[in-house]
Amino acid sequence: MASDTEHVDVVVVGSGFGGSVTAYRLAEAGLSVVVLERGRPYPPGSFPRSPSQMGRAFWDPAENLYGMFDVWSFRDCDSVVASGLGGGSLIYANVLLRKDENTFVHEEPLPGGGYECWPVSRADLDPHYDAVERMIGVTPYPFDRPAYSGTLKTGAMRDAAAELGLDWRLPPLAISFAPSPGAEPGLGLPVADPHYGSMHGVLRRTCRLCGECDIGCNDGAKNSLDHTYLAAARHHGADLRTLHEVKTIGPRHGRGHGGGHGGGYAVDYVRHDPADPDRRSAGTITCDRLVLAAGTLGTSYLLLKSRARLPGLSGTLGTRFSGNGDILSFLLRARDRSRTLPVSASHGPVITSAIRLPDGEGGRGAYIEEGGYPGFVDWLVEGADVRGELGRVARFVVDRLRALAGHDTNMSAEIAALLGPGDLSGSSLPLLGMGRDVPDGELRLRDGRLDVVWTAETSEVYVERVRATMRRIGHVLGAEYADSPARHRERTITVHPLGGAPMGRHPGEGVCDAHGEVFGFPGLFVADGAAMPGPVGANPSLTIAALADRMCTRLLEAGPPVLPAGVGGDAACDRPDGPAHLGGPDRSGGRTSLSFVEEMRGFLAPGATDPRELDGMPEGGRFAFRLTVTADDVDRFLAEPEHPARAEGWIDAAACGGRRPVERGWFNLFAPGDSPDRREMRYRLQFTDGEGRPRTLVGWKDVRPGPPTRVWPDTTTMLARLLDGRPADEMEDDGTPVLAAGTLHVLPSDLARMLTTFRTEGPGGTAALARFGRFFLGELWEVYRPRQGS
């Protein structure tokens, strides 16, 4: 490798919901981050509007097209994805719904064999959902305000749901209706820049209800990722490189910077120049951690192409593909409930409301959301309602047949030719369905190109349930129901492709673990829709972002990856700064460190002062934490009587403002108790609550003589007090007021995960881990061993 090859801490491939969250979190933590995005930046005012501009708004570099819309056609389905800085947020409809709690299924059987299994829960994701919602800024459509109450399509959906007894709601939208958080909403008002500044340096204005969300918001009213996470990432030093398309990935091996042997990964890319396509240039960048966030199709394609360079990838690669239950239909000549006013689908954001169909006797759950014009589905509306421009349609069919004969799965150029001016009917209301279809599709390579083997037949019960409900809504609104042209061609079209590199509990179940790290390849992560082991059900953007946020928390807690020989050397040892940039101390000088991750959850009772006096589990006051406990020198840790280590991570409590970082933390393992045969595991965590007030959590596990059956409850139950402030003596309470007291527990599932997190760094790591194990078991023996006379 040439000496000028770049090397950074992290390369992020793609800038959508997974990539942008990752770029921000890791750059904020002080890592050097490079984002490689194949598309362009799109400041407000730059999105295409004229027919000629829209005709070139597609992504197909082979045809000199470098636009936003990337439309792929496979044998049984079509998919629309995005290309541009901000990924799918540039063209999505702004809906940020959480995945329903009961749809985080475990081993749910699927037709044709296999099962759907989510190795995470809603409780795991809720604090990360909170964090993403705060960062992006979400609010429901202000339908109760005068400027917005006249949105007929919103009222029509509400009234139809009421008549049919359906669950109607105003979902959270990533749109600025007000100039600043908490201000009164208004149309076209200047939006205040956040504290991290503007990405584009262009004035943003609040939503004007123009219905242009899906073709790019020229007002900047959409809180798309370039205005939020990516702007904040750049503020913290992330290097955002557009028109950089990644072609291959692989282990770094001997490709280390400076010519030495290095661990980590190498990323080969092509840099596009739309002004002069012949000036396309190639390059390589290496990194300690590689985060794939190129979208379901892009990430799966990269991994499938890289199988030879990444031997040992799970056999589940390419499986669990689904379209998140996407169904598109139209209510033609729809009117309000009184049958007097035509529904104007172009007034308002693309989506303002949703009807939820729960899982149950009717089948797998779904959401039905009203759509709006204009949007990237205009060409479908023309086919469903207008029936004109047959010459263009005929040319399109001929082009598609020619492309299918050559297995050209990129149909962007043909779609660009198909698009026309399209006078849309003002009373045609699109309905967008999504939900829990069956994730039994397969992504694979065919003649070197990406191919999808998938049929909607196994999801027919789900599909018919959604279509029947759409017909009932149309009946209430006096409308004629029409399927999309794709349905007439027995094809499925999706804007939410998911799966291909699914998460699982082990390599036999998924490509990556519950935190997105690829099994067998430390430091390689999947942070987009490819990691979904099944349909999200709701619009998947928020769940993808929350999983990426959770991934980053674990990545930062775990420290630099420990790379096996098959991937390369220890990346941390390949750089002079080592892991110190993550906030840890200098571990040079031949010392060996040991770390593990512990999770506990339970409740603290407000007003209680002594957890031993509580009668059972206190109500309210949910409290949890996740800590990375690190002994920087194992020999010293074992030798010192108090066995001290540092604790880093976060606490999560609604009473403290949600998830809060631990600013300083201590842990003592088997410290001496008040008698020779008693031990304590002590915790002391300092943090600041959501209102800026200092807090200290003091906890201890009481390990005292008793029957061997006491080992589990004693070592997994922590008594805790929450202090109002920080004692002057960091190791004593000094009479600091107690706000709450209670009990936290290690769950069996958390213990199983904890056992997989033990890591060592430095010489003799295996021996150090063995010494630690002997010490731990020896201390338990000293406490719980049989005694004479007992």
Side-chain angles (χ1 to χ4, degrees), residues 25-46:
R25 288 292 311 278
L26 301 188
E28 182 190 40
L31 302 184
S32 57
V33 177
V34 169
V35 177
L36 300 178
E37 165 57 51
R38 64 176 180 169
R40 311 168 183 254
Y42 288 93
S46 68

Side-chain angles (χ1 to χ4, degrees), residues 325-330 371 376-377 380-381 430-433 467 470 481-487 493:
D326 283 356
I327 299 172
L328 174 65
S329 66
F330 303 92
F376 64 83
V377 296
L380 293 177
V381 180
L431 291 182
L432 311 170
R467 293 175 70 229
M470 290 176 168
Y481 175 87
D483 283 314
S484 72
R487 176 77 183 178
I493 184 167

Side-chain angles (χ1 to χ4, degrees), residues 648-723:
E648 301 165 304
W650 49 260
I651 65 96
D652 182 26
C656 298
R659 192 184 71 181
R660 310 298 300 170
V662 173
E663 296 164 9
R664 295 191 70 189
W666 298 265
F667 170 77
N668 299 89
L669 180 64
F670 295 133
D674 56 10
S675 63
D677 55 359
R678 179 173 170 241
R679 306 287 188 274
E680 288 184 351
M681 300 185 194
R682 300 172 185 163
Y683 300 74
R684 200 171 191 86
L685 310 177
Q686 295 181 351
F687 62 95
T688 302
D689 72 5
E691 298 183 12
R693 296 171 298 197
R695 297 285 186 255
T696 303
L697 182 77
V698 177
W700 65 98
K701 296 175 183 175
D702 204 357
V703 181
R704 61 178 62 214
T709 54
R710 293 295 310 165
V711 173
W712 171 258
D714 287 354
T715 57
T716 61
T717 302
M718 185 176 83
L719 305 175
R721 292 196 299 264
L722 180 64
L723 306 184

Side-chain angles (χ1 to χ4, degrees), residues 124-153:
D124 290 330
L125 287 189
D126 271 337
H128 305 283
Y129 279 138
D130 292 342
V132 174
E133 288 172 346
R134 285 193 299 268
M135 186 69 181
I136 292 181
V138 299
T139 184
Y141 188 58
F143 192 46
D144 59 339
R145 306 299 174 88
Y148 310 90
S149 59
T151 309
L152 291 178
K153 64 174 185 173

Side-chain angles (χ1 to χ4, degrees), residues 586-591:
D586 178 9
R587 296 174 188 154
S588 60
R591 292 179 294 175

Side-chain angles (χ1 to χ4, degrees), residues 563-786:
L563 300 173
V567 176
D570 186 345
C573 297
D574 196 38
R575 300 199 333 273
D577 55 12
H581 65 287
L582 284 172
D586 178 9
R587 296 174 188 154
S588 60
R591 292 179 294 175
T592 301
S593 68
L594 180 144
S595 66
F596 62 90
V597 178
E598 182 177 38
E599 300 181 40
M600 299 193 74
R601 60 195 80 188
F603 296 84
L604 299 185
T609 58
D610 190 342
R612 293 166 294 192
E613 297 178 357
L614 295 174
D615 184 14
M617 181 70 72
E619 296 183 2
R622 178 181 62 85
F623 200 100
F625 66 63
R626 178 182 294 144
L627 302 175
T628 297
V629 175
T630 304
D632 294 307
D633 185 335
V634 173
D635 291 335
R636 180 178 176 183
F637 171 81
L638 296 176
E640 292 189 2
E642 299 285 332
H643 309 299
R646 55 189 171 90
E648 301 165 304
W650 49 260
I651 65 96
D652 182 26
C656 298
R659 192 184 71 181
R660 310 298 300 170
V662 173
E663 296 164 9
R664 295 191 70 189
W666 298 265
F667 170 77
N668 299 89
L669 180 64
F670 295 133
D674 56 10
S675 63
D677 55 359
R678 179 173 170 241
R679 306 287 188 274
E680 288 184 351
M681 300 185 194
R682 300 172 185 163
Y683 300 74
R684 200 171 191 86
L685 310 177
Q686 295 181 351
F687 62 95
T688 302
D689 72 5
E691 298 183 12
R693 296 171 298 197
R695 297 285 186 255
T696 303
L697 182 77
V698 177
W700 65 98
K701 296 175 183 175
D702 204 357
V703 181
R704 61 178 62 214
T709 54
R710 293 295 310 165
V711 173
W712 171 258
D714 287 354
T715 57
T716 61
T717 302
M718 185 176 83
L719 305 175
R721 292 196 299 264
L722 180 64
L723 306 184
D724 182 11
R726 294 175 183 167
D729 186 334
E730 291 181 336
M731 303 314 294
E732 299 292 338
D733 292 356
D734 285 344
T736 305
V738 179
L739 296 174
T743 307
L744 306 181
H745 299 274
V746 177
L747 301 181
S749 58
D750 293 333
L751 178 64
R753 280 195 294 268
M754 183 181 74
L755 295 176
T756 69
T757 65
F758 278 84
R759 298 287 188 271
T760 61
E761 291 182 22
T766 302
L769 189 60
R771 291 198 304 276
F772 174 84
R774 287 193 295 270
F775 163 75
F776 189 90
L777 294 175
E779 290 295 304
L780 292 179
W781 171 258
E782 282 300 314
V783 175
Y784 296 104
R785 62 182 173 83

Side-chain angles (χ1 to χ4, degrees), residues 5-25:
T5 297
E6 289 183 275
H7 183 85
V8 295
D9 293 328
V10 185
V11 168
V12 180
V13 181
S15 62
F17 283 92
S20 64
V21 171
T22 301
Y24 164 66
R25 288 292 311 278

Side-chain angles (χ1 to χ4, degrees), residues 185-319:
L187 306 182
L189 302 176
V191 174
D193 286 336
H195 69 276
Y196 46 76
S198 168
M199 166 71 71
H200 305 293
V202 177
L203 177 66
R204 299 173 61 199
R205 293 190 178 276
T206 58
C207 180
R208 294 186 296 108
L209 312 184
C210 64
E212 298 180 358
C213 310
D214 283 348
I215 56 175
C217 180
N218 270 330
D219 293 308
K222 288 183 70 168
N223 298 338
S224 50
L225 297 169
D226 51 335
H227 298 308
T228 54
Y229 273 103
L230 291 170
R234 190 180 71 166
H235 173 76
H236 287 288
D239 186 354
L240 311 179
R241 302 181 186 180
T242 55
L243 294 169
H244 283 63
E245 184 177 12
V246 173
K247 291 297 187 179
T248 61
I249 61 172
R252 189 174 168 210
H253 286 311
R255 304 173 69 168
H257 63 291
H261 179 85
Y265 299 91
V267 181
D268 301 318
Y269 61 85
V270 169
R271 183 173 184 178
H272 297 289
D273 184 353
D276 185 0
D278 293 334
R279 293 183 58 191
R280 192 176 303 172
S281 58
T284 298
I285 185 171
T286 62
C287 55
D288 295 336
R289 300 174 187 82
L290 174 58
V291 179
L292 300 180
T296 292
L297 301 179
T299 289
S300 298
Y301 189 30
L302 280 173
L303 287 171
L304 285 166
K305 289 194 300 182
S306 303
R307 257 184 164 149
R309 298 179 67 185
L310 298 171
L313 280 174
S314 166
T316 64
L317 179 62
T319 65

